[in-house]
Amino acid sequence: MEGNLGSDSVPVVSTPSGPIDKSRVMSVKPLRCLVPVFPQHAGSSGAPQAPPFAFGAPTGPFPPGTAQFFPFVGSSEPQRPASVPDQGRPTPTVTATPTVTATATATATPTASAIPSPVPLNSFRTPPSAPPPAPAPVTTSGRGRPRGSTKTREVYDDGYAQTDSYENGFTIDTDDSSDVGKRKRKARKIVKGPQAVAVSNSEVDIDHLVNDILRSFNLVDINTSLQADSDHDLVQRVVMVYNLLRRKIMQLDDAKGVIPGISRRADLRSGTILMNKGARANTRRRVGAVPGVNIGDVFFFRMELCLAGLHAPIMAGIDYLSFKVSGDEEPIAVSIVSSGGYEDDGDDGEVLIYSGQGGVQRNDKLVMDQKLERGNLALEKSLHKGNEVRVVRGIKDGTSLTGKIYVYDGVYKLHESWIEKGKSGCNVFKYKLIRVPGQPEGFMLWKSIQQWRDGVTKRVGVILPDLTSGAENTPICLVNDVDSEKGPAYFTYASSLKYSKPFRPAKSSSCKCSNGCQPATNCPCVERNGGYLPYSSGGVLLSHNSVIHECGPSCLCPSTCRNRISQTGLKLRLEVFRTKNKGWGLRSWDPIRAGAFICEYAGEVIESGSDSDDDYILDTTRSFDPLEPVPTDEYVKPPFPLIVSAKNKGNVGRFMNHSCSPNVYWQPILRQTEEEAHLHIGFYAIKHIPPLHELTFDYGTPRSEKKSGPQKKKCLCGSTKCKGYFY
């Protein structure tokens, strides 16, 4: 065994060239005595020093009033030795024509000198190769790209937050069945950042449910050509399934007592699941309008834009494509989302002044000049190319303090661009877009409705400003701009269902939730709903049940309890309007999100064998197509068979017409005490409904046709799936 060597023992090692005495190594001077060698400054005399010592410019943040400095070279810009290659930082720089050379340099490398405002960008071009810009105080994510600019963090009324920031470390997994793809997907689920999303557990828990929903909506093995260029029906089915899944994940999280925060991003989790399953529309990227998406369509989540093929990035405001020109790739913009996170200016509905992206960092709130790169560069290229750019408007959601509604406003063309000083004092790129004429109203319709609300202009064709005479929380106007009809036949307005014999349920206790019912508790009202709360904190119905058990009159929870949604009255500004060929109909001034409560169906409970001429019947014993997959194809008898007539007494629900492709469905709601139960019928949105779109539901099919029963009537719903008749 080799013994330990003392400090004075210096072994002699033999080499092919002879023995080496290691004691001589101890006489080498320490490194602190070495003199650093720097590259020769351009223009100076003297022999170059070799080998060069590569160094980087110091980075900020610097103290207030202190500019960046680059020692030893006598220049205000960093010099890179020829022997040290660029590290591949994808920051394109710009040059300009001789008339704006100084301005172009300032745009590429921010300096302390001020830039004139405005500065035209029309002459900017991207050279084939350019030196790297000065380092900037940028925080990078794990993927080596800037974490991006921040926009306001939006806390949605579904109980979680969504942001419009450029990047947050979240990655959408593509459908890749290879082993490599599977390993990549597994790695991508482990993400970092304050908004990381853990999707694996939920995917395992609800995988069977997801497959059932996809089969129910015919979203398994979608035709390749239809998926590349989709129709409106496929787009609607994809978005509907996304919302069904998102709300179900929220309900499961509630039941598990999941703490609000990272794991509450059901919007991203459900979108990732559908992406991995291939349940999406318009997979072919394109310039211009997207098939199957109509102007005025509304979306409540950025992931919906991605699944519909309207705007691919789930965070970035500018979507762009790259194409080759003379061997070089250049980007062009295909769509933008103007969500108000930057200093976008107000307009008249036909012109949009859009601010470029970048310039603000989320974590440290540093503000800097925007750069002509990525989306900004793509917009500049589109200005010269003249291609159409899709525009999605982000509008404040009136039901939420910070939420947004995204409205597709059609295609625009870029008109001009410039640089100006923003409110922060840094340079911001500005782009003026003008809407292509001849398109249907989109954002302008929203502006018109807002003017009606504010009293700036009057709603054309109003017969009565409030046909409820104050019976509802919100006035409901009666409108006819089609013919000379002055109003519907006389009826007595009643805001709720009337019947003389309440049901006698099984004995149960009332809740004592003084602060409102909460999920994952022993609340008896939660237990009656199968251990789940039926509504989200924002009042959205989370799943479709045979019966919704709401808190009753003897419960101690307040009126604001999230299990009393249908008891708080109307929240939407509805109007009864004259249709062209179906009599009177119902629609809303407000956008309605999928699962939102609209109104009750009020009337009088009647016995079977009612008047066949009664056009205001809602019969719960009829057959209805299920909205969610059911475990059996057999007829499920309604727990509380009910026939309601609103012919003589009812509310606005009586004006809702039939459609073979409805956007509204009904649910029985039970409110009970320890002694009796009262049944109500609530209307909920199947999908997102834009303003002034008619509200319709399926009247159902009778189980058996009798001579005295309802007869077939001609259907005029105009749907592509119209059966031609209804009852």
Side-chain angles (χ1 to χ4, degrees):
M1 179 178 292
E2 182 180 358
N4 293 330
L5 297 177
S7 59
D8 295 331
S9 295
V10 180
V12 177
V13 181
S14 297
T15 65
S17 59
I20 297 178
D21 187 359
K22 283 193 173 182
S23 61
R24 296 188 178 187
V25 179
M26 303 303 294
S27 63
V28 176
K29 294 182 179 180
L31 291 177
R32 65 174 178 267
C33 298
L34 297 178
V35 178
V37 180
F38 297 99
Q40 187 69 20
H41 178 245
S44 64
S45 60
Q49 304 178 28
F53 179 80
F55 70 98
T59 59
F62 298 96
T66 304
Q68 297 185 10
F69 64 96
F70 307 97
F72 310 113
V73 294
S75 173
S76 60
E77 296 185 5
Q79 305 294 320
R80 180 179 294 275
S83 61
V84 180
D86 189 0
Q87 299 302 315
R89 285 172 288 183
T91 306
T93 55
V94 292
T95 59
T97 56
T99 57
V100 290
T101 301
T103 302
T105 303
T107 305
T109 305
T111 64
S113 60
I115 295 180
S117 175
V119 179
L121 296 176
N122 299 345
S123 59
F124 282 19
R125 296 178 182 176
T126 304
S129 61
V138 178
T139 303
T140 58
S141 66
R143 299 185 62 180
R145 292 184 293 180
R147 290 181 186 266
S149 59
T150 182
K151 299 184 182 182
T152 53
R153 182 177 176 85
E154 302 170 6
V155 181
Y156 278 79
D157 58 3
D158 275 349
Y160 54 87
Q162 174 172 308
T163 67
D164 281 332
S165 54
Y166 181 70
E167 291 212 12
N168 70 341
F170 181 78
T171 302
I172 300 177
D173 299 331
T174 57
D175 192 8
D176 185 357
S177 59
S178 65
D179 293 338
V180 175
K182 292 178 180 178
R183 288 196 297 269
K184 288 181 178 178
R185 285 199 299 271
K186 184 176 181 180
R188 287 173 182 172
K189 292 172 185 176
I190 305 173
V191 291
K192 298 180 180 180
Q195 296 176 6
V197 182
V199 298
S200 56
N201 290 337
S202 291
E203 287 179 339
V204 173
D205 293 341
I206 64 174
D207 188 66
H208 181 71
L209 172 64
V210 172
N211 292 332
D212 284 345
I213 294 177
L214 294 179
R215 282 193 294 268
S216 177
F217 284 85
N218 296 321
L219 293 179
V220 179
D221 298 328
I222 308 172
N223 180 274
T224 305
S225 60
L226 178 61
Q227 194 170 33
D229 300 284
S230 306
D231 56 14
H232 190 67
D233 176 65
L234 178 59
V235 172
Q236 290 290 306
R237 281 186 285 133
V238 168
V239 177
M240 284 173 59
V241 167
Y242 166 79
N243 278 285
L244 286 172
L245 180 57
R246 178 186 58 80
R247 284 145 50 194
K248 190 65 179 178
I249 290 176
M250 290 177 57
Q251 192 174 52
L252 292 173
D253 284 347
D254 271 349
K256 295 176 184 177
V258 176
I259 300 174
I262 293 175
S263 58
R264 294 299 296 271
R265 290 306 301 265
D267 60 324
L268 299 183
R269 291 159 58 192
S270 55
T272 302
I273 293 172
L274 295 185
M275 285 285 190
N276 292 337
K277 296 280 187 181
R280 55 181 303 190
N282 290 308
T283 54
R284 184 172 68 87
R285 303 285 299 280
R286 74 197 73 227
V287 177
V290 173
V293 180
N294 298 332
I295 294 176
D297 282 352
V298 294
F299 305 88
F300 285 81
F301 298 91
R302 291 287 294 267
M303 184 62 82
E304 293 174 336
L305 303 178
C306 179
L307 290 169
L310 188 61
H311 185 82
I314 59 173
M315 294 296 172
I318 305 173
D319 187 11
Y320 56 92
L321 296 174
S322 296
F323 65 98
K324 288 188 176 181
V325 177
S326 301
D328 296 330
E329 285 195 355
E330 290 192 349
I332 60 169
V334 295
S335 64
I336 61 173
V337 176
S338 177
S339 57
Y342 291 108
E343 300 165 7
D344 296 343
D345 296 337
D347 53 70
D348 60 359
E350 299 294 328
V351 178
L352 173 64
I353 307 300
Y354 185 77
S355 298
Q357 66 182 16
V360 183
Q361 295 187 61
R362 180 174 64 239
N363 292 339
D364 45 23
K365 306 298 182 183
L366 288 179
V367 181
M368 61 189 71
D369 293 343
Q370 291 184 352
K371 298 179 181 179
L372 194 61
E373 60 184 12
R374 294 196 298 262
N376 296 339
L377 181 61
L379 285 173
E380 182 60 30
K381 294 295 183 181
S382 292
L383 173 62
H384 300 294
K385 296 290 182 182
N387 64 281
E388 294 179 342
V389 178
R390 300 185 295 272
V391 171
V392 178
R393 303 267 192 161
I395 302 173
K396 179 176 173 53
D397 186 355
T399 63
S400 173
L401 295 177
T402 56
K404 286 191 178 70
I405 304 168
Y406 299 97
V407 184
Y408 176 50
D409 198 30
V411 293
Y412 284 61
K413 284 191 175 182
L414 283 137
H415 182 69
E416 60 179 315
S417 59
W418 65 93
I419 298 175
E420 66 179 43
K421 289 288 184 182
K423 296 178 182 179
S424 61
C426 293
N427 298 315
V428 178
F429 293 106
K430 292 286 187 175
Y431 303 90
K432 181 179 181 180
L433 296 96
I434 299 179
R435 196 167 189 258
V436 175
Q439 302 179 88
E441 280 189 327
F443 180 63
M444 278 299 297
L445 178 61
W446 290 65
K447 293 180 71 70
S448 299
I449 293 174
Q450 189 58 49
Q451 290 176 344
W452 300 344
R453 291 179 178 277
D454 298 339
V456 177
T457 59
K458 291 185 178 180
R459 175 77 170 98
V460 177
V462 174
I463 300 174
L464 284 175
D466 183 14
L467 63 82
T468 73
S469 300
E472 300 285 4
N473 299 334
T474 305
I476 301 172
C477 60
L478 182 67
V479 178
N480 185 358
D481 54 3
V482 175
D483 53 32
S484 58
E485 185 70 30
K486 296 301 181 182
Y490 176 80
F491 73 100
T492 301
Y493 195 94
S495 58
S496 189
L497 186 64
K498 305 294 182 183
Y499 50 88
S500 57
K501 297 180 180 179
F503 296 97
R504 295 289 179 181
K507 189 169 182 64
S508 62
S509 59
S510 302
C511 78
K512 298 178 174 58
C513 308
S514 58
N515 295 324
C517 298
Q518 300 297 326
T521 62
N522 294 325
C523 170
C525 297
V526 174
E527 294 300 324
R528 280 194 289 269
N529 285 289
Y532 302 99
L533 266 178
Y535 300 102
S536 72
S537 58
V540 174
L541 191 65
L542 297 177
S543 62
H544 311 129
N545 305 319
S546 57
V547 177
I548 299 172
H549 294 268
E550 287 193 346
C551 295
S554 59
C555 291
L556 300 182
C557 57
S559 59
T560 56
C561 174
R562 61 185 277 190
N563 199 33
R564 293 183 182 271
I565 296 300
S566 71
Q567 305 173 34
T568 56
L570 295 182
K571 301 296 183 183
L572 302 169
R573 180 64 188 267
L574 303 173
E575 74 170 25
V576 175
F577 73 106
R578 185 71 174 176
T579 67
K580 293 182 179 180
N581 54 3
K582 297 182 294 183
W584 299 95
L586 184 67
R587 60 190 178 191
S588 171
W589 289 13
D590 302 307
I592 306 174
R593 66 189 308 163
F597 172 74
I598 298 174
C599 66
E600 281 194 39
Y601 191 86
E604 298 174 300
V605 177
I606 60 175
E607 301 294 334
S608 59
S610 58
D611 184 2
S612 60
D613 294 331
D614 190 346
D615 294 331
Y616 302 94
I617 290 289
L618 193 153
D619 188 349
T620 65
T621 64
R622 293 183 179 182
S623 174
F624 298 89
D625 294 333
L627 294 180
E628 288 189 9
V630 293
T632 176
D633 294 333
E634 298 179 0
Y635 168 63
V636 179
K637 185 177 180 181
F640 301 97
L642 199 67
I643 302 176
V644 181
S645 171
K647 181 178 182 179
N648 300 317
K649 183 180 294 184
N651 67 343
V652 291
R654 72 193 296 273
F655 295 106
M656 205 176 294
N657 286 314
H658 165 82
S659 175
C660 300
S661 298
N663 52 21
V664 174
Y665 68 100
W666 62 269
Q667 283 263 214
I669 304 170
L670 200 63
R671 308 168 192 161
Q672 66 185 73
T673 64
E674 297 180 0
E675 301 296 333
E676 60 185 22
H678 299 267
L679 189 67
H680 298 263
I681 303 296
F683 282 131
Y684 299 85
I686 294 176
K687 54 189 176 182
H688 301 327
I689 306 174
L692 296 188
H693 277 227
E694 184 177 4
L695 306 179
T696 58
F697 77 103
D698 183 1
Y699 286 1
T701 304
R703 291 293 172 182
S704 60
E705 295 187 32
K706 300 178 181 179
K707 292 183 179 180
S708 59
Q711 302 299 314
K712 289 184 179 180
K713 300 177 182 179
K714 185 178 181 180
C715 181
L716 301 173
C717 69
S719 167
T720 56
K721 298 181 179 180
C722 182
K723 300 174 183 177
Y725 63 91
F726 71 99
Y727 290 90

